[in-house]
Amino acid sequence: MNIPRLNLLLWLACIGILFSACDKKWDEHNAVADPLAGETLLEEVAKNPDLSKFSEYLSKTGYDKLLASSNTFTVWAPTNAALQAVDPALIDTDEDLKMFVGMHIATQSLLTTSIQQPYVAVKTLSSKNVTLTKTTVDDIALVSKDKYVANGVLNVIGTALVPKVNAWEYLVSTNTLQKQVLSQYTYTYRDLNKAVQTGVDPATGEPVYEPGTGFVTSNSYRDALFRDANGMISRRHDINNEDSLFTYIVLTDAAFMAEKNKLERYYAAGDSTDSITNLNVVKDLVFHGLLNKDNFPQSVYSAGDSVRFHLKADAVVETHRVSNGIVYVMNSIDYDLGVNGVYDPYTKIKPIIIQGENLAGDMNNLNAGDRANRTRIRRNPNTQQIYTDFISENHGKANYWIRYNAPGTVHPIKYKVYWVAVIDFQEAKFPMSITFKNINQPRAFTREVELDDYSEVELGEYTFDKLYSSTTKSLQLPVFLMGPNITTNGLNTLVLDYIKMVPVQ
């Protein structure tokens, strides 16, 4: 009976010794950490003689009060030698100095040990991004790092962070043909939220604004909206955006002309051919993230239209780090053009998919009652995939037709045309036709729909006479699904899953 009691006492004694040792270790830890725990970033900078010039600049800009506050920051403090090397023109005015100093301060506390990705982008007080790795900030080595104090983290750098232009600002500073093309899309509008109101018009009750205030310059190329697979809308071309990181390609003038000559035949549109071709030469040169020219991926996809590019390091003639990424000036580019008759959504000249349920409603309502037209949710028994198709039945009309507008761009080239149209609701077969441009055109394709055939049926090839684009109403390509010249219900039904058009040449 005494042995278990002795074991218990020994066990309790060991636990006591263990906790005593832990307390001692914790006290030793606090003895190291406590001297910094109560210090601010301002105090830590001020006590380092090698940061005296940066301390002086903090006082001149008023950022000393910020770094003495209870908010948290990350600071990359340049040494005196680093500041001595800065071009005086960059800090000549109070505004310039504040921009310069703000480049070295971010409004969040970030340790390099917390960086899990190859790099992270952090916005500074100057509203410019810096790119961090575990050992660098904007490719500048950290002389010392991760000194944790009461209101943030202090790092020391041997080269100052100079405010950079962003990718758009770099482009407009050049004299390239690319700059000339995209500058044509610049416009000015008045943002009343930024205008200075001086009163109210007594006659109308409308606000009166100070002349010349509230005007903002933007660019319709950068403003272009895109919807991703999750339905999220973004401006993927906005290389003026400081909240994202981009890789942007600027073509040399010779490369621009080579691309223009290659693409011109695909964008023939009368008097506007030249401007449309020019835009399509340069519109797909934005990529998300930072691409390292020494390790370009085998394939990379453009931010706007997901064109598959194959970038080559030996085509890079200049490299420019910018505040929202990196700019490569290149003397050639390589991408998948996509005029080989193979369906590929990542090519420059893209295939077209017209979904049966996406009717051009303005024409449909003039042609038949809503009761004749409906969509269905179906399952393909061969693939088990769910799909939605369109059916129009029992409408009692001869030559009944449904109009679609082809999405995207249809080029003045040859396309292979396919459809998927499934009868699984009646025994009688029936013919359908496709007509392009207007209902009085000859029917391009006529094919009898087979029972329970879920396969993609090749209808034939069709060459278009000019460029069509869904983004411009006058250039939209109408596509008509047409029934036969009979009124018998069951034999004049229209049904469609989709029409596919694949570029050939």
Side-chain angles (χ1 to χ4, degrees):
M1 294 294 294
N2 289 333
I3 292 176
R5 178 178 178 82
L6 178 59
N7 287 342
L8 177 61
L9 291 173
L10 287 172
W11 182 78
L12 291 173
C14 289
I15 291 295
I17 292 170
L18 178 61
F19 275 103
S20 175
C22 289
D23 287 343
K24 184 176 181 181
K25 289 292 184 182
W26 181 249
D27 289 342
E28 290 172 357
H29 168 79
N30 285 341
V32 174
D34 282 347
L36 297 181
E39 290 188 2
T40 65
L41 283 163
L42 181 65
E43 291 170 329
E44 188 63 22
V45 169
K47 77 178 188 180
N48 186 338
D50 203 24
L51 303 179
S52 60
K53 195 66 178 175
F54 185 64
S55 181
E56 176 188 330
Y57 286 171
L58 289 173
S59 298
K60 284 185 177 180
T61 56
Y63 283 140
D64 56 337
K65 298 178 179 61
L66 202 65
L67 297 188
S69 71
S70 58
N71 295 325
T72 57
F73 307 91
T74 298
V75 175
W76 302 275
T79 61
N80 292 340
L83 293 177
Q84 188 68 32
V86 172
D87 183 350
L90 293 174
I91 53 175
D92 189 42
T93 67
D94 291 344
E95 183 179 355
D96 289 341
L97 182 61
K98 190 159 189 174
M99 168 70 80
F100 173 78
V101 175
M103 282 294 301
H104 298 82
I105 306 170
T107 56
Q108 55 182 295
S109 180
L110 183 65
L111 294 166
T112 61
T113 53
S114 68
I115 299 174
Q116 302 301 319
Q117 300 172 342
Y119 62 85
V120 295
V122 178
K123 182 167 284 190
T124 67
L125 293 182
S126 297
S127 296
K128 295 284 187 179
N129 287 322
V130 290
T131 305
L132 308 183
T133 71
K134 289 183 178 295
T135 58
T136 64
V137 53
D138 265 9
D139 296 330
I140 296 170
L142 302 177
V143 175
S144 67
K145 61 180 183 177
D146 293 345
K147 183 167 282 189
Y148 197 80
V149 297
N151 63 343
V153 178
L154 176 65
N155 307 278
V156 176
I157 52 179
T159 303
L161 292 165
V162 176
K164 296 182 176 70
V165 297
N166 62 35
W168 177 256
E169 291 166 337
Y170 171 79
L171 174 67
V172 298
S173 73
T174 70
N175 292 316
T176 59
L177 290 171
Q178 185 163 330
K179 176 260 184 95
Q180 293 174 26
V181 169
L182 293 180
S183 293
Q184 295 173 3
Y185 297 89
T186 297
Y187 64 96
T188 300
Y189 68 97
R190 195 172 202 183
D191 184 347
L192 296 183
N193 292 322
K194 297 180 179 179
V196 178
Q197 184 175 346
T198 58
V200 177
D201 187 330
T204 64
E206 296 294 324
V208 176
Y209 297 98
E210 181 179 325
T213 64
F215 288 97
V216 177
T217 299
S218 191
N219 184 278
S220 57
Y221 163 79
R222 297 195 332 251
D223 292 346
L225 299 179
F226 295 87
R227 187 183 298 274
D228 64 20
N230 298 318
M232 297 298 293
I233 295 177
S234 62
R235 293 179 176 175
R236 298 184 191 171
H237 283 161
D238 191 4
I239 55 175
N240 193 47
N241 181 4
E242 297 280 0
D243 292 328
S244 298
L245 285 180
F246 302 99
T247 296
Y248 185 57
I249 294 174
V250 175
L251 298 177
T252 63
D253 286 356
F256 176 92
M257 291 305 301
E259 286 301 311
K260 180 177 180 178
N261 292 336
K262 180 170 70 176
L263 293 178
E264 201 162 28
R265 65 174 291 233
Y266 300 105
Y267 294 95
D271 294 340
S272 61
T273 295
D274 196 60
S275 61
I276 293 175
T277 303
N278 288 344
L279 177 61
N280 280 278
V281 168
V282 301
K283 77 179 183 65
D284 294 312
L285 301 179
V286 182
F287 305 88
H288 286 304
L290 300 179
L291 299 178
N292 183 350
K293 73 179 180 65
D294 297 323
N295 190 28
F296 277 145
Q298 183 175 0
S299 297
V300 62
Y301 299 84
S302 64
D305 287 343
S306 296
V307 177
R308 186 190 298 110
F309 278 74
H310 312 285
L311 302 178
K312 304 293 192 298
D314 58 8
V316 176
V317 295
E318 294 178 26
T319 301
H320 300 274
R321 285 301 304 266
V322 291
S323 62
N324 58 353
I326 192 165
V327 173
Y328 293 116
V329 180
M330 302 186 70
N331 59 21
S332 68
I333 50 174
D334 181 26
Y335 51 83
D336 291 337
L337 186 60
V339 287
N340 56 5
V342 177
Y343 177 80
D344 185 346
Y346 301 109
T347 55
K348 185 82 166 180
I349 308 301
K350 293 191 177 296
I352 302 294
I353 298 287
I354 302 170
Q355 295 292 348
E357 64 271 23
N358 294 338
L359 287 72
D362 58 332
M363 298 300 296
N364 176 57
N365 290 335
L366 296 175
N367 200 256
D370 288 341
R371 287 184 298 174
N373 307 317
R374 59 189 174 91
T375 59
R376 309 180 303 169
I377 297 177
R378 321 295 283 170
R379 182 188 296 274
N380 184 324
N382 301 325
T383 65
Q384 299 305 310
Q385 290 185 334
I386 302 295
Y387 68 95
T388 300
D389 70 358
F390 170 80
I391 180 173
S392 181
E393 58 184 343
N394 301 327
H395 49 75
K397 291 179 177 288
N399 295 315
Y400 180 53
W401 52 265
I402 298 294
R403 172 178 168 161
Y404 298 92
N405 291 327
T409 300
V410 179
H411 299 267
I413 58 174
K414 184 187 295 182
Y415 285 79
K416 284 185 178 179
V417 182
Y418 306 80
W419 75 23
V420 173
V422 181
I423 315 175
D424 59 355
F425 49 88
Q426 66 180 50
E427 293 299 321
K429 300 179 183 180
F430 50 83
M432 297 193 306
S433 303
I434 291 177
T435 297
F436 297 108
K437 296 185 283 190
N438 66 69
I439 57 173
N440 297 318
Q441 288 282 112
R443 302 191 181 203
F445 309 103
T446 300
R447 182 69 61 89
E448 188 173 66
V449 181
E450 298 291 335
L451 295 172
D452 294 322
D453 184 359
Y454 292 83
S455 64
E456 191 173 85
V457 176
E458 181 176 346
L459 302 176
E461 295 181 341
Y462 189 91
T463 301
F464 292 93
D465 56 335
K466 65 177 183 179
L467 185 78
Y468 296 89
S469 175
S470 61
T471 59
T472 304
K473 190 170 184 179
S474 62
L475 291 178
Q476 288 178 339
L477 173 66
V479 180
F480 298 91
L481 185 68
M482 304 184 68
N485 187 23
I486 56 176
T487 60
T488 306
N489 287 337
L491 298 181
N492 60 3
T493 302
L494 297 177
V495 61
L496 182 65
D497 181 6
Y498 63 80
I499 298 170
K500 178 189 289 185
M501 297 160 51
V502 180
V504 177
Q505 61 183 24

